[in-house]
Amino acid sequence: MGNLEQLYRQVIMDHYKNPANKGLVTDPTYFTVHMHNPSCGDDMTVQLKEENGIIKDIKHQGTGCSICCSSASVMSLTLMNQTKEDALNKIHAYYHMLTNEPYDQKVLFGDALAYHGVAQFPARIKCATLAWKAIEQALISNKED
Ligand code: ZN
């Protein structure tokens, strides 16, 4: 295993052990989406708070493997305070990274890159994208703006 892979594995384990923005709220101004990944048993709920087209807050709560749970934490940090358009661009860049397609490295950077290696394990791509697909659906469905 190379140094970069070790670093990425450490990033994933850090987010798994100390996830950011974990825990749901009962605030009705948050838009909630629940998703399940039957192939691994991952279960994920995300909550989105938008104001004037800007993501003001993201919450997540789920059970599942380390890739799924940690990627929800990374997703929340990556998309926080972004416009809806920028967030969707980052989400699509993340999907492209996971399927080894070209993506704009000015759009996607930071801890999200730790999941690049998942592209080698097609069965785990659904784990790495579950929280991202949930927030994508929330962004599309939420009619706040
Ligand atoms: Zn999983």
Side-chain angles (χ1 to χ4, degrees):
M1 187 164 41
N3 285 339
L4 195 59
E5 279 174 80
Q6 268 175 351
L7 175 71
Y8 284 166
R9 178 173 290 203
Q10 190 61 48
V11 168
I12 290 171
M13 287 317 292
D14 285 349
H15 280 281
Y16 182 57
K17 288 177 185 159
N18 296 300
N21 302 304
K22 187 170 183 179
L24 302 180
V25 294
T26 52
D27 186 333
T29 65
Y30 283 68
F31 190 89
T32 302
V33 171
H34 171 250
M35 280 194 178
H36 185 66
N37 170 19
S39 69
C40 180
D42 301 320
D43 195 271
M44 181 58 61
T45 302
V46 302
Q47 292 183 311
L48 166 72
K49 183 177 176 66
E50 276 183 278
E51 266 175 32
N52 304 317
I54 309 282
I55 296 175
K56 290 307 217 183
D57 199 14
I58 294 172
K59 297 287 185 190
H60 63 91
Q61 180 81 56
T63 54
C65 66
S66 59
I67 292 177
C68 177
C69 292
S70 65
S71 69
S73 170
V74 172
M75 175 277 289
S76 70
L77 294 172
T78 303
L79 303 183
M80 197 74 82
N81 297 314
Q82 301 292 310
T83 65
K84 178 177 282 196
E85 185 185 1
D86 286 345
L88 289 170
N89 283 338
K90 286 178 188 290
I91 291 166
H92 294 145
Y94 182 77
Y95 295 162
H96 283 152
M97 179 184 77
L98 288 174
T99 49
N100 272 329
E101 291 167 75
Y103 65 94
D104 189 345
Q105 300 194 343
K106 291 193 293 296
V107 170
L108 191 70
F109 45 83
D111 285 357
L113 302 185
Y115 296 84
H116 192 255
V118 175
Q120 298 166 48
F121 307 98
R124 308 307 298 278
I125 292 174
K126 282 182 180 167
C127 302
T129 55
L130 188 65
W132 294 71
K133 288 202 178 294
I135 204 72
E136 181 184 24
Q137 187 178 313
L139 282 163
I140 293 167
S141 306
N142 185 23
K143 298 300 180 206
E144 180 267 343
D145 51 357

